[in-house]
Amino acid sequence: MTSLLPDITAGDTAGDEPTLPVGATSASSVLMVASHFPPLNAAGVFRSLRFARYLPELGWNVHVLTIAPRAYAAGDKCDDGLLAKVPSSVAVHRTAAVYPARWPGACKQWLRQLVRDQGSDRGGAGRNRAARPQDAQPAIGGGGSSGWLQVWKDAVTLPLQTPDHWIGWRPFAVSLGRRVIRQHGVQVIYSSGPPWTNHLVGCRLKQLTGAAWVADFRDPWVNADFKRWRMGDTWVGRQHRRLERQVLRQADQVLVNTRGSLHDLLDRHGDLVADKCSLLPNGFDPDDFASLTAERPPGDNALGSQPPHGGVPLDRKLPLDRKLVVAHAGSFYGSRNIDSLIAAVGNLHREGQVAPGELEIQLLGALRPDRDHEQRAIHDAGVEPYFTLTGLLPHGECLRRLAEADLLLLVQVGAPISVPGKVYEYIALGRPMLTLATPGATAELATREQLGRCLAPDDVTGIAAAMRHYLQCRRSADARDHVSLEVQQRYNGRLQTGQLDRILRTAMLAAASNSLAPRGTR
Protein backbone atom coordinates (compact mmCIF):
# COMPACT_ATOMS: atom_id res chain seq x y z
CA MET A 1 0.00 0.00 0.00
CA THR A 2 1.39 3.41 -0.91
CA SER A 3 1.93 5.62 2.10
CA LEU A 4 -0.70 8.30 2.54
CA LEU A 5 1.42 10.03 5.18
CA PRO A 6 3.72 12.93 4.39
CA ASP A 7 7.31 11.79 4.63
CA ILE A 8 8.98 13.63 7.47
CA THR A 9 11.68 14.84 5.11
CA ALA A 10 9.15 16.64 2.95
CA GLY A 11 8.74 20.42 3.04
CA ASP A 12 6.04 21.87 5.25
CA THR A 13 5.47 25.29 3.76
CA ALA A 14 5.72 26.84 0.36
CA GLY A 15 8.74 29.02 -0.24
CA ASP A 16 10.95 27.47 2.43
CA GLU A 17 14.01 29.56 3.21
CA PRO A 18 17.40 28.02 2.50
CA THR A 19 18.61 25.86 5.37
CA LEU A 20 21.15 27.73 7.48
CA PRO A 21 23.31 26.49 10.32
CA VAL A 22 22.23 27.59 13.75
CA GLY A 23 24.55 30.22 15.10
CA ALA A 24 26.23 29.75 18.42
CA THR A 25 25.44 32.09 21.29
CA SER A 26 27.20 32.76 24.56
CA ALA A 27 24.60 30.71 26.47
CA SER A 28 23.37 27.32 25.31
CA SER A 29 19.75 27.23 24.16
CA VAL A 30 17.46 24.23 23.84
CA LEU A 31 14.02 23.85 22.32
CA MET A 32 11.96 21.17 24.05
CA VAL A 33 9.28 19.70 21.77
CA ALA A 34 6.64 18.43 24.17
CA SER A 35 3.00 18.40 23.14
CA HIS A 36 2.25 17.24 26.71
CA PHE A 37 3.26 20.07 29.04
CA PRO A 38 1.56 21.95 31.89
CA PRO A 39 -1.16 22.85 32.52
CA LEU A 40 -2.02 19.48 30.94
CA ASN A 41 -2.23 16.81 33.65
CA ALA A 42 -1.08 13.61 31.96
CA ALA A 43 1.62 11.01 32.49
CA GLY A 44 3.78 12.36 29.66
CA VAL A 45 4.15 15.77 31.30
CA PHE A 46 6.45 15.10 34.21
CA ARG A 47 9.78 14.11 32.63
CA SER A 48 9.81 17.16 30.34
CA LEU A 49 8.71 19.39 33.20
CA ARG A 50 11.59 18.18 35.42
CA PHE A 51 14.14 18.86 32.71
CA ALA A 52 12.65 22.29 31.96
CA ARG A 53 12.89 23.20 35.66
CA TYR A 54 16.52 22.20 36.20
CA LEU A 55 18.28 22.86 32.88
CA PRO A 56 18.41 26.63 33.58
CA GLU A 57 20.51 25.85 36.69
CA LEU A 58 23.09 24.38 34.30
CA GLY A 59 23.32 27.44 32.08
CA TRP A 60 20.63 26.64 29.52
CA ASN A 61 18.12 28.99 27.97
CA VAL A 62 15.05 26.78 27.77
CA HIS A 63 12.27 27.14 25.21
CA VAL A 64 9.29 24.79 25.20
CA LEU A 65 7.15 24.12 22.14
CA THR A 66 3.74 22.77 23.11
CA ILE A 67 -0.01 22.85 22.47
CA ALA A 68 -2.14 25.75 23.68
CA PRO A 69 -4.74 24.72 26.30
CA ARG A 70 -7.57 25.91 24.06
CA ALA A 71 -6.47 23.27 21.55
CA TYR A 72 -6.30 20.33 23.97
CA ALA A 73 -8.23 17.23 22.99
CA ALA A 74 -11.67 16.72 24.46
CA GLY A 75 -11.44 15.15 27.89
CA ASP A 76 -7.91 16.38 28.66
CA LYS A 77 -7.50 17.52 32.26
CA CYS A 78 -5.59 20.59 33.44
CA ASP A 79 -3.71 21.24 36.67
CA ASP A 80 -2.70 24.84 37.33
CA GLY A 81 -0.43 23.59 40.10
CA LEU A 82 1.78 21.96 37.48
CA LEU A 83 1.88 25.18 35.47
CA ALA A 84 3.06 27.06 38.56
CA LYS A 85 6.16 24.83 38.66
CA VAL A 86 7.43 26.12 35.30
CA PRO A 87 10.19 28.68 36.07
CA SER A 88 9.64 32.21 34.81
CA SER A 89 12.93 31.95 32.90
CA VAL A 90 11.48 29.20 30.68
CA ALA A 91 9.87 30.53 27.50
CA VAL A 92 6.80 28.48 26.58
CA HIS A 93 5.62 28.76 22.96
CA ARG A 94 2.10 27.43 22.37
CA THR A 95 0.39 26.59 19.10
CA ALA A 96 -2.92 25.43 17.75
CA ALA A 97 -3.59 21.75 17.06
CA VAL A 98 -6.18 19.75 15.15
CA TYR A 99 -7.14 16.10 15.46
CA PRO A 100 -7.74 14.61 12.00
CA ALA A 101 -8.77 11.21 13.36
CA ARG A 102 -11.95 12.86 14.59
CA TRP A 103 -12.93 14.31 11.24
CA PRO A 104 -14.71 11.21 9.83
CA GLY A 105 -16.83 10.93 12.98
CA ALA A 106 -17.65 14.64 12.87
CA CYS A 107 -18.68 14.33 9.22
CA LYS A 108 -20.87 11.35 10.07
CA GLN A 109 -22.60 13.28 12.84
CA TRP A 110 -23.10 16.25 10.52
CA LEU A 111 -24.70 14.06 7.87
CA ARG A 112 -27.00 12.45 10.43
CA GLN A 113 -28.09 15.85 11.67
CA LEU A 114 -28.66 16.99 8.09
CA VAL A 115 -30.93 13.99 7.43
CA ARG A 116 -32.85 14.68 10.64
CA ASP A 117 -33.29 18.32 9.70
CA GLN A 118 -34.54 17.40 6.23
CA GLY A 119 -37.02 14.93 7.73
CA SER A 120 -38.23 17.63 10.10
CA ASP A 121 -38.68 20.06 7.21
CA ARG A 122 -40.97 17.54 5.50
CA GLY A 123 -43.20 17.55 8.56
CA GLY A 124 -41.81 14.36 9.94
CA ALA A 125 -43.64 12.26 7.39
CA GLY A 126 -42.95 8.61 7.87
CA ARG A 127 -41.28 9.02 11.27
CA ASN A 128 -43.92 6.90 12.92
CA ARG A 129 -44.33 4.45 10.08
CA ALA A 130 -43.43 0.91 11.14
CA ALA A 131 -40.39 -0.39 9.32
CA ARG A 132 -41.21 -3.11 6.81
CA PRO A 133 -38.77 -5.84 5.77
CA GLN A 134 -38.32 -4.26 2.35
CA ASP A 135 -37.28 -0.98 4.03
CA ALA A 136 -34.23 -2.56 5.64
CA GLN A 137 -30.93 -1.83 3.94
CA PRO A 138 -28.96 -4.87 2.80
CA ALA A 139 -25.81 -5.64 4.75
CA ILE A 140 -22.88 -3.94 3.10
CA GLY A 141 -20.49 -6.47 1.67
CA GLY A 142 -23.18 -9.10 1.18
CA GLY A 143 -24.08 -12.07 3.32
CA GLY A 144 -24.23 -9.94 6.48
CA SER A 145 -20.48 -9.29 6.34
CA SER A 146 -19.14 -5.79 6.86
CA GLY A 147 -15.50 -6.78 6.35
CA TRP A 148 -14.91 -4.55 3.36
CA LEU A 149 -16.61 -1.67 5.14
CA GLN A 150 -14.04 -1.97 7.94
CA VAL A 151 -11.26 -2.05 5.34
CA TRP A 152 -12.61 1.15 3.81
CA LYS A 153 -12.98 2.76 7.23
CA ASP A 154 -9.40 1.85 8.17
CA ALA A 155 -8.09 3.20 4.85
CA VAL A 156 -9.67 6.57 5.68
CA THR A 157 -8.95 6.83 9.40
CA LEU A 158 -5.58 5.13 9.95
CA PRO A 159 -3.51 7.70 8.01
CA LEU A 160 -5.22 10.38 10.10
CA GLN A 161 -3.94 8.89 13.35
CA THR A 162 -0.50 7.56 12.42
CA PRO A 163 1.74 7.73 14.31
CA ASP A 164 -0.87 8.99 16.81
CA HIS A 165 -3.82 11.32 17.33
CA TRP A 166 -1.51 14.35 17.63
CA ILE A 167 -0.32 14.22 14.00
CA GLY A 168 -2.46 17.31 13.34
CA TRP A 169 -0.17 19.31 15.64
CA ARG A 170 2.84 18.72 13.41
CA PRO A 171 2.43 21.55 10.85
CA PHE A 172 1.69 24.14 13.54
CA ALA A 173 4.62 22.98 15.66
CA VAL A 174 7.11 22.93 12.78
CA SER A 175 6.11 26.42 11.66
CA LEU A 176 6.45 28.02 15.11
CA GLY A 177 9.42 25.89 16.14
CA ARG A 178 11.41 26.99 13.13
CA ARG A 179 10.85 30.64 13.99
CA VAL A 180 11.81 30.10 17.62
CA ILE A 181 15.05 28.34 16.66
CA ARG A 182 16.10 31.11 14.29
CA GLN A 183 15.03 34.03 16.47
CA HIS A 184 16.59 32.72 19.67
CA GLY A 185 19.68 30.96 18.36
CA VAL A 186 18.60 27.54 19.60
CA GLN A 187 21.43 25.04 19.18
CA VAL A 188 19.79 21.78 20.16
CA ILE A 189 16.29 20.29 20.00
CA TYR A 190 14.96 17.84 22.57
CA SER A 191 11.78 15.92 21.69
CA SER A 192 9.86 13.69 24.09
CA GLY A 193 7.69 10.81 22.92
CA PRO A 194 5.08 9.52 23.07
CA PRO A 195 3.26 11.15 21.44
CA TRP A 196 5.52 10.12 18.58
CA THR A 197 4.43 13.17 16.61
CA ASN A 198 6.86 15.09 18.83
CA HIS A 199 9.74 13.17 17.25
CA LEU A 200 8.44 13.90 13.75
CA VAL A 201 8.43 17.58 14.68
CA GLY A 202 11.96 17.36 16.07
CA CYS A 203 13.19 15.54 12.98
CA ARG A 204 11.75 18.10 10.60
CA LEU A 205 13.11 21.02 12.63
CA LYS A 206 16.57 19.50 12.55
CA GLN A 207 16.37 19.22 8.77
CA LEU A 208 15.15 22.80 8.36
CA THR A 209 17.58 24.49 10.75
CA GLY A 210 20.64 22.27 11.21
CA ALA A 211 20.21 22.25 14.99
CA ALA A 212 21.34 19.21 16.93
CA TRP A 213 18.56 16.85 18.04
CA VAL A 214 18.03 14.49 20.97
CA ALA A 215 15.06 12.10 20.71
CA ASP A 216 13.82 10.82 24.08
CA PHE A 217 11.83 7.54 24.00
CA ARG A 218 9.82 7.48 27.23
CA ASP A 219 8.12 4.28 26.02
CA PRO A 220 8.91 1.74 23.32
CA TRP A 221 7.54 2.87 19.96
CA VAL A 222 7.19 -0.28 17.87
CA ASN A 223 7.70 -3.03 20.44
CA ALA A 224 5.06 -1.76 22.85
CA ASP A 225 3.29 -4.74 24.39
CA PHE A 226 0.10 -2.70 24.79
CA LYS A 227 0.23 -1.51 21.15
CA ARG A 228 0.75 -4.84 19.43
CA TRP A 229 -0.69 -3.75 16.09
CA ARG A 230 2.51 -1.76 15.54
CA MET A 231 4.47 -5.01 15.36
CA GLY A 232 2.51 -6.77 12.62
CA ASP A 233 3.13 -6.91 8.89
CA THR A 234 0.29 -4.50 8.17
CA TRP A 235 0.20 -1.05 6.68
CA VAL A 236 0.12 0.48 10.16
CA GLY A 237 2.98 -1.71 11.37
CA ARG A 238 5.13 -0.88 8.35
CA GLN A 239 4.51 2.88 8.78
CA HIS A 240 5.45 2.81 12.46
CA ARG A 241 8.64 0.88 11.74
CA ARG A 242 9.54 3.25 8.89
CA LEU A 243 9.00 6.35 11.01
CA GLU A 244 10.83 4.91 14.02
CA ARG A 245 13.83 4.02 11.89
CA GLN A 246 13.87 7.45 10.26
CA VAL A 247 13.83 9.16 13.66
CA LEU A 248 16.65 6.94 14.94
CA ARG A 249 18.73 7.62 11.83
CA GLN A 250 18.33 11.41 11.96
CA ALA A 251 18.71 11.97 15.71
CA ASP A 252 22.16 12.93 16.99
CA GLN A 253 21.44 11.28 20.35
CA VAL A 254 18.71 8.86 21.46
CA LEU A 255 17.49 8.45 25.03
CA VAL A 256 15.57 5.52 26.55
CA ASN A 257 14.41 5.14 30.14
CA THR A 258 14.66 1.38 30.79
CA ARG A 259 17.29 -1.27 30.17
CA GLY A 260 14.70 -3.32 28.28
CA SER A 261 14.09 -0.45 25.85
CA LEU A 262 17.83 -0.03 25.34
CA HIS A 263 18.31 -3.70 24.53
CA ASP A 264 15.26 -3.66 22.25
CA LEU A 265 16.64 -0.80 20.12
CA LEU A 266 20.11 -2.33 20.01
CA ASP A 267 18.70 -5.73 18.99
CA ARG A 268 16.53 -4.31 16.22
CA HIS A 269 18.66 -1.44 14.94
CA GLY A 270 22.23 -2.38 15.89
CA ASP A 271 24.84 -0.08 14.43
CA LEU A 272 22.25 2.61 13.66
CA VAL A 273 21.99 3.49 17.37
CA ALA A 274 24.94 1.71 19.00
CA ASP A 275 27.09 4.82 19.36
CA LYS A 276 24.36 7.33 20.19
CA CYS A 277 21.85 5.58 22.45
CA SER A 278 21.89 6.31 26.20
CA LEU A 279 19.92 5.09 29.20
CA LEU A 280 18.45 7.84 31.37
CA PRO A 281 15.79 6.40 33.72
CA ASN A 282 12.73 8.29 34.79
CA GLY A 283 12.93 9.97 38.15
CA PHE A 284 11.18 12.37 40.50
CA ASP A 285 11.31 16.10 41.11
CA PRO A 286 12.86 16.62 44.56
CA ASP A 287 11.14 20.00 44.92
CA ASP A 288 7.78 18.23 44.85
CA PHE A 289 8.73 16.51 48.09
CA ALA A 290 10.80 19.19 49.85
CA SER A 291 7.71 20.97 51.15
CA LEU A 292 5.52 17.91 51.48
CA THR A 293 4.18 17.67 55.03
CA ALA A 294 2.13 14.55 55.42
CA GLU A 295 -0.56 15.00 58.03
CA ARG A 296 0.12 11.77 59.88
CA PRO A 297 -0.83 11.18 63.51
CA PRO A 298 1.89 12.12 66.02
CA GLY A 299 4.40 9.35 66.53
CA ASP A 300 3.71 7.69 63.19
CA ASN A 301 6.55 6.45 60.99
CA ALA A 302 4.60 4.43 58.44
CA LEU A 303 6.29 1.04 58.11
CA GLY A 304 9.79 2.14 59.08
CA SER A 305 10.19 4.22 55.90
CA GLN A 306 12.82 6.85 55.23
CA PRO A 307 11.76 10.51 55.13
CA PRO A 308 10.94 12.01 51.74
CA HIS A 309 13.39 14.57 50.40
CA GLY A 310 13.21 17.65 52.46
CA GLY A 311 11.12 15.83 54.45
CA VAL A 312 8.56 14.40 56.62
CA PRO A 313 10.33 13.13 59.76
CA LEU A 314 9.14 9.57 60.24
CA ASP A 315 11.40 8.31 63.01
CA ARG A 316 8.94 7.75 65.87
CA LYS A 317 6.94 4.77 67.06
CA LEU A 318 3.76 3.57 65.40
CA PRO A 319 0.36 4.02 67.03
CA LEU A 320 -0.99 0.51 67.42
CA ASP A 321 -4.64 1.44 66.84
CA ARG A 322 -4.23 2.99 63.38
CA LYS A 323 -5.37 1.17 60.25
CA LEU A 324 -2.99 0.12 57.51
CA VAL A 325 -3.37 2.46 54.52
CA VAL A 326 -2.35 1.16 51.09
CA ALA A 327 -2.40 3.58 48.14
CA HIS A 328 -2.17 3.25 44.36
CA ALA A 329 -1.93 6.24 42.01
CA GLY A 330 -3.37 6.12 38.51
CA SER A 331 -6.01 4.34 36.48
CA PHE A 332 -6.35 0.74 35.38
CA TYR A 333 -6.93 -0.43 31.82
CA GLY A 334 -7.09 -3.61 29.77
CA SER A 335 -5.64 -6.55 31.68
CA ARG A 336 -3.97 -4.23 34.17
CA ASN A 337 -6.19 -4.70 37.22
CA ILE A 338 -6.15 -5.70 40.89
CA ASP A 339 -8.53 -8.67 40.75
CA SER A 340 -6.10 -10.86 42.71
CA LEU A 341 -5.64 -8.23 45.42
CA ILE A 342 -9.41 -7.93 45.76
CA ALA A 343 -9.68 -11.72 46.03
CA ALA A 344 -6.88 -11.80 48.63
CA VAL A 345 -8.59 -9.17 50.78
CA GLY A 346 -11.83 -11.13 50.49
CA ASN A 347 -10.08 -14.27 51.70
CA LEU A 348 -8.49 -12.47 54.65
CA HIS A 349 -11.85 -10.99 55.60
CA ARG A 350 -13.66 -14.33 55.49
CA GLU A 351 -10.88 -15.98 57.52
CA GLY A 352 -11.18 -13.28 60.19
CA GLN A 353 -7.60 -12.05 59.68
CA VAL A 354 -8.66 -8.50 58.91
CA ALA A 355 -11.69 -6.43 59.77
CA PRO A 356 -13.07 -3.12 58.45
CA GLY A 357 -11.22 -0.30 60.17
CA GLU A 358 -7.90 -2.16 60.10
CA LEU A 359 -7.20 -1.79 56.37
CA GLU A 360 -7.96 0.82 53.71
CA ILE A 361 -6.83 0.49 50.09
CA GLN A 362 -7.01 3.82 48.26
CA LEU A 363 -7.19 3.73 44.46
CA LEU A 364 -6.36 7.32 43.55
CA GLY A 365 -7.51 8.20 40.04
CA ALA A 366 -9.19 4.85 39.40
CA LEU A 367 -12.67 6.25 38.75
CA ARG A 368 -13.13 6.76 35.01
CA PRO A 369 -16.32 7.20 33.00
CA ASP A 370 -15.27 4.47 30.56
CA ARG A 371 -14.34 1.78 33.11
CA ASP A 372 -16.14 0.25 36.08
CA HIS A 373 -14.28 -3.07 36.32
CA GLU A 374 -12.75 -2.30 39.71
CA GLN A 375 -16.02 -1.14 41.27
CA ARG A 376 -17.82 -4.27 40.08
CA ALA A 377 -15.04 -6.60 41.24
CA ILE A 378 -14.97 -4.98 44.70
CA HIS A 379 -18.76 -5.21 44.96
CA ASP A 380 -18.88 -8.83 43.82
CA ALA A 381 -16.22 -9.80 46.39
CA GLY A 382 -18.10 -8.03 49.18
CA VAL A 383 -15.09 -5.95 50.26
CA GLU A 384 -16.40 -2.41 49.75
CA PRO A 385 -15.44 -1.32 53.32
CA TYR A 386 -11.77 -1.88 52.52
CA PHE A 387 -11.55 0.19 49.32
CA THR A 388 -11.74 3.91 48.53
CA LEU A 389 -11.76 5.04 44.88
CA THR A 390 -11.30 8.59 43.56
CA GLY A 391 -11.24 10.29 40.20
CA LEU A 392 -8.19 12.07 38.78
CA LEU A 393 -6.59 14.26 41.47
CA PRO A 394 -4.33 17.30 41.09
CA HIS A 395 -0.73 16.14 41.20
CA GLY A 396 0.03 17.82 44.52
CA GLU A 397 -3.02 16.31 46.18
CA CYS A 398 -2.16 12.87 44.84
CA LEU A 399 1.38 13.12 46.27
CA ARG A 400 -0.01 14.21 49.63
CA ARG A 401 -2.33 11.18 49.76
CA LEU A 402 0.54 8.87 48.82
CA ALA A 403 2.74 10.40 51.52
CA GLU A 404 0.06 9.66 54.11
CA ALA A 405 -0.08 5.99 53.13
CA ASP A 406 1.88 3.20 54.82
CA LEU A 407 2.32 0.97 51.76
CA LEU A 408 2.33 1.89 48.07
CA LEU A 409 0.86 -0.43 45.45
CA LEU A 410 2.44 -0.83 42.00
CA VAL A 411 0.80 -2.90 39.25
CA GLN A 412 2.30 -3.78 35.87
CA VAL A 413 0.80 -6.47 33.64
CA GLY A 414 2.54 -7.12 30.34
CA ALA A 415 4.70 -4.31 28.89
CA PRO A 416 7.92 -6.20 29.76
CA ILE A 417 10.29 -3.41 28.71
CA SER A 418 8.39 -0.52 30.32
CA VAL A 419 8.31 0.84 33.88
CA PRO A 420 5.42 3.01 35.14
CA GLY A 421 6.57 6.53 35.89
CA LYS A 422 4.80 6.54 39.26
CA VAL A 423 7.34 4.10 40.73
CA TYR A 424 9.92 6.88 40.93
CA GLU A 425 7.65 9.13 42.95
CA TYR A 426 6.97 6.13 45.18
CA ILE A 427 10.75 5.84 45.60
CA ALA A 428 10.98 9.53 46.55
CA LEU A 429 8.45 8.99 49.32
CA GLY A 430 10.58 6.22 50.79
CA ARG A 431 7.56 4.03 51.43
CA PRO A 432 7.76 0.26 51.06
CA MET A 433 5.99 -1.06 47.98
CA LEU A 434 3.92 -4.07 47.11
CA THR A 435 4.66 -4.70 43.43
CA LEU A 436 2.37 -6.94 41.38
CA ALA A 437 4.15 -7.40 38.07
CA THR A 438 4.65 -9.93 35.32
CA PRO A 439 8.30 -10.72 34.44
CA GLY A 440 10.02 -7.73 32.89
CA ALA A 441 11.57 -4.35 33.62
CA THR A 442 9.21 -3.38 36.45
CA ALA A 443 9.71 -6.60 38.41
CA GLU A 444 13.47 -6.38 37.83
CA LEU A 445 13.57 -2.80 39.14
CA ALA A 446 11.55 -3.67 42.24
CA THR A 447 13.85 -6.61 42.98
CA ARG A 448 17.14 -4.89 42.14
CA GLU A 449 16.41 -1.79 44.21
CA GLN A 450 14.78 -3.76 47.05
CA LEU A 451 11.60 -1.72 46.93
CA GLY A 452 9.51 -4.25 48.87
CA ARG A 453 7.74 -7.47 48.05
CA CYS A 454 7.31 -8.31 44.36
CA LEU A 455 4.71 -10.90 43.36
CA ALA A 456 2.98 -12.20 40.27
CA PRO A 457 -0.27 -10.28 39.62
CA ASP A 458 -2.33 -13.51 39.79
CA ASP A 459 -0.73 -14.89 42.99
CA VAL A 460 -3.73 -14.57 45.33
CA THR A 461 -2.08 -16.68 48.04
CA GLY A 462 1.16 -14.70 47.93
CA ILE A 463 -0.68 -11.38 47.96
CA ALA A 464 -2.71 -12.47 50.98
CA ALA A 465 0.51 -13.48 52.77
CA ALA A 466 2.07 -10.09 51.97
CA MET A 467 -0.98 -8.26 53.31
CA ARG A 468 -0.82 -10.34 56.52
CA HIS A 469 2.86 -9.36 56.85
CA TYR A 470 2.16 -5.64 56.49
CA LEU A 471 -0.87 -5.80 58.79
CA GLN A 472 1.32 -7.44 61.43
CA CYS A 473 3.94 -4.73 60.92
CA ARG A 474 1.31 -2.13 61.53
CA ARG A 475 0.08 -3.87 64.68
CA SER A 476 3.49 -4.57 66.20
CA ALA A 477 5.44 -1.49 65.04
CA ASP A 478 8.50 -3.63 64.32
CA ALA A 479 8.75 -3.14 60.53
CA ARG A 480 11.94 -1.90 58.96
CA ASP A 481 10.99 -2.02 55.26
CA HIS A 482 12.00 1.14 53.44
CA VAL A 483 13.58 2.47 50.27
CA SER A 484 17.21 3.38 50.88
CA LEU A 485 18.51 6.92 50.51
CA GLU A 486 21.07 5.64 48.02
CA VAL A 487 18.29 4.40 45.76
CA GLN A 488 16.40 7.66 46.15
CA GLN A 489 19.43 9.66 45.05
CA ARG A 490 19.76 7.50 41.96
CA TYR A 491 16.42 8.78 40.65
CA ASN A 492 16.66 12.40 41.81
CA GLY A 493 15.49 14.47 38.84
CA ARG A 494 17.81 17.39 39.58
CA LEU A 495 20.83 15.08 39.46
CA GLN A 496 19.51 13.32 36.35
CA THR A 497 19.24 16.65 34.56
CA GLY A 498 23.01 16.86 34.83
CA GLN A 499 23.15 13.71 32.72
CA LEU A 500 20.79 15.26 30.17
CA ASP A 501 23.04 18.35 30.07
CA ARG A 502 25.98 16.16 29.00
CA ILE A 503 23.86 14.34 26.40
CA LEU A 504 22.62 17.61 24.89
CA ARG A 505 26.18 18.89 24.60
CA THR A 506 27.30 15.60 23.07
CA ALA A 507 24.54 15.96 20.48
CA MET A 508 25.74 19.46 19.63
CA LEU A 509 29.26 18.15 19.04
CA ALA A 510 27.93 15.28 16.92
CA ALA A 511 25.82 17.64 14.81
CA ALA A 512 28.77 19.96 14.29
CA SER A 513 30.98 17.03 13.30
CA ASN A 514 28.37 15.73 10.84
CA SER A 515 27.99 19.13 9.24
CA LEU A 516 31.73 19.18 8.50
CA ALA A 517 31.93 15.60 7.25
CA PRO A 518 31.96 14.93 3.48
CA ARG A 519 28.41 14.36 2.27
CA GLY A 520 29.00 10.74 1.29
CA THR A 521 30.27 9.79 4.75
CA ARG A 522 27.37 11.14 6.86
Side-chain angles (χ1 to χ4, degrees):
M1 179 176 180
T2 303
S3 173
L4 300 179
L5 292 172
D7 191 282
I8 57 177
T9 60
D12 291 84
T13 58
D16 278 344
E17 302 172 14
T19 300
L20 298 175
V22 178
T25 59
S26 56
S28 301
S29 296
V30 59
L31 176 66
M32 304 184 69
V33 180
S35 59
H36 288 29
F37 198 76
L40 184 66
N41 185 2
V45 164
F46 299 101
R47 184 168 166 103
S48 297
L49 175 58
R50 284 194 301 275
F51 292 152
R53 292 188 71 179
Y54 295 121
L55 278 173
E57 296 179 358
L58 301 172
W60 287 91
N61 294 324
V62 177
H63 298 263
V64 178
L65 181 62
T66 189
I67 298 175
R70 66 179 182 277
Y72 286 166
D76 284 348
K77 304 296 184 182
C78 292
D79 182 349
D80 289 337
L82 292 176
L83 186 61
K85 296 178 182 179
V86 180
S88 59
S89 62
V90 173
V92 182
H93 308 270
R94 301 186 184 272
T95 77
V98 294
Y99 303 91
R102 299 183 178 183
W103 294 345
C107 290
K108 186 177 181 179
Q109 290 182 342
W110 178 79
L111 289 172
R112 284 178 175 173
Q113 186 61 46
L114 181 62
V115 170
R116 292 193 196 100
D117 293 344
Q118 289 177 341
S120 177
D121 292 342
R122 290 195 297 268
R127 277 183 300 181
N128 297 320
R129 177 171 57 91
R132 300 190 302 272
Q134 59 268 32
D135 293 328
Q137 295 296 316
I140 298 176
S145 171
S146 58
W148 73 266
L149 177 61
Q150 185 63 44
V151 171
W152 176 86
K153 180 181 177 182
D154 290 346
V156 173
T157 60
L158 288 178
L160 302 179
Q161 54 187 331
T162 302
D164 48 51
H165 289 276
W166 289 267
I167 187 62
W169 182 55
R170 179 178 179 266
F172 301 99
V174 169
S175 177
L176 179 58
R178 184 183 187 186
R179 292 200 302 272
V180 171
I181 290 172
R182 294 188 179 281
Q183 292 173 5
H184 297 278
V186 170
Q187 298 139 299
V188 61
I189 302 159
Y190 163 90
S191 61
S192 176
W196 306 116
T197 291
N198 291 338
H199 289 337
L200 306 193
V201 172
C203 188
R204 184 60 183 145
L205 288 175
K206 174 181 174 59
Q207 293 162 346
L208 288 172
T209 66
W213 174 36
V214 175
D216 188 358
F217 285 63
R218 299 191 329 272
D219 278 325
W221 185 338
V222 169
N223 269 5
D225 187 61
F226 47 90
K227 302 283 188 181
R228 299 195 68 84
W229 62 86
R230 297 178 186 165
M231 306 180 196
D233 188 21
T234 62
W235 181 85
V236 171
R238 289 191 293 273
Q239 297 310 307
H240 278 283
R241 288 193 293 275
R242 176 181 70 86
L243 293 173
E244 180 193 60
R245 187 170 184 83
Q246 191 164 5
V247 164
L248 294 173
R249 181 184 299 112
Q250 295 289 332
D252 296 293
Q253 289 287 301
V254 175
L255 291 182
V256 295
N257 59 11
T258 71
R259 298 182 184 188
S261 294
L262 178 62
H263 294 153
D264 171 60
L265 288 185
L266 292 174
D267 289 345
R268 292 189 297 112
H269 296 284
D271 293 343
L272 183 63
V273 296
D275 61 347
K276 61 180 180 180
C277 196
S278 301
L279 171 62
L280 182 56
N282 275 329
F284 61 87
D285 188 335
D287 281 359
D288 288 345
F289 302 88
S291 60
L292 191 61
T293 55
E295 299 175 359
R296 306 182 64 89
D300 194 350
N301 79 328
L303 294 173
S305 48
Q306 294 286 349
H309 291 268
V312 184
L314 303 174
D315 56 357
R316 297 179 293 271
K317 290 293 184 182
L318 294 164
L320 301 183
D321 59 349
R322 185 177 179 274
K323 64 185 174 184
L324 174 69
V325 178
V326 182
H328 174 277
S331 59
F332 300 95
Y333 46 84
S335 60
R336 185 174 179 270
N337 58 61
I338 54 167
D339 290 357
S340 296
L341 174 62
I342 294 170
V345 172
N347 291 344
L348 293 174
H349 174 73
R350 285 187 293 273
E351 295 166 2
Q353 298 187 52
V354 67
E358 292 185 309
L359 171 66
E360 180 184 4
I361 299 175
Q362 300 179 357
L363 306 180
L364 310 177
L367 288 179
R368 290 168 37 193
D370 59 342
R371 181 179 173 102
D372 64 354
H373 177 88
E374 281 64 45
Q375 297 102 296
R376 288 189 288 105
I378 291 168
H379 172 77
D380 292 346
V383 292
E384 291 100 327
Y386 297 98
F387 286 85
T388 301
L389 284 72
T390 77
L392 181 68
L393 299 174
H395 185 239
E397 171 66 10
C398 184
L399 290 182
R400 186 185 68 80
R401 298 280 289 269
L402 292 172
E404 293 175 347
D406 306 299
L407 176 67
L408 301 179
L409 176 64
L410 182 66
V411 182
Q412 182 77 323
V413 179
I417 61 177
S418 299
V419 176
K422 67 173 70 70
V423 68
Y424 303 100
E425 293 186 322
Y426 286 10
I427 287 173
L429 289 166
R431 297 289 187 269
M433 300 180 208
L434 174 59
T435 301
L436 309 180
T438 48
T442 301
E444 291 168 4
L445 175 69
T447 302
R448 183 176 67 251
E449 303 292 21
Q450 301 180 15
L451 303 180
R453 297 199 175 191
C454 182
L455 301 166
D458 58 355
D459 184 2
V460 177
T461 302
I463 295 170
M467 295 306 298
R468 280 195 298 269
H469 165 75
Y470 289 116
L471 283 164
Q472 182 60 34
C473 290
R474 165 54 63 188
R475 292 165 182 153
S476 65
D478 64 356
R480 290 297 176 264
D481 290 346
H482 65 270
V483 177
S484 74
L485 292 175
E486 179 184 356
V487 171
Q488 289 177 322
Q489 287 295 91
R490 203 151 33 236
Y491 301 103
N492 183 313
R494 176 180 268 113
L495 301 180
Q496 289 180 325
T497 305
Q499 299 176 55
L500 177 64
D501 168 64
R502 292 189 289 273
I503 291 168
L504 292 174
R505 297 186 188 281
T506 299
M508 291 166 59
L509 292 173
S513 175
N514 288 337
S515 68
L516 297 175
R519 183 174 297 272
T521 64
R522 297 179 194 174

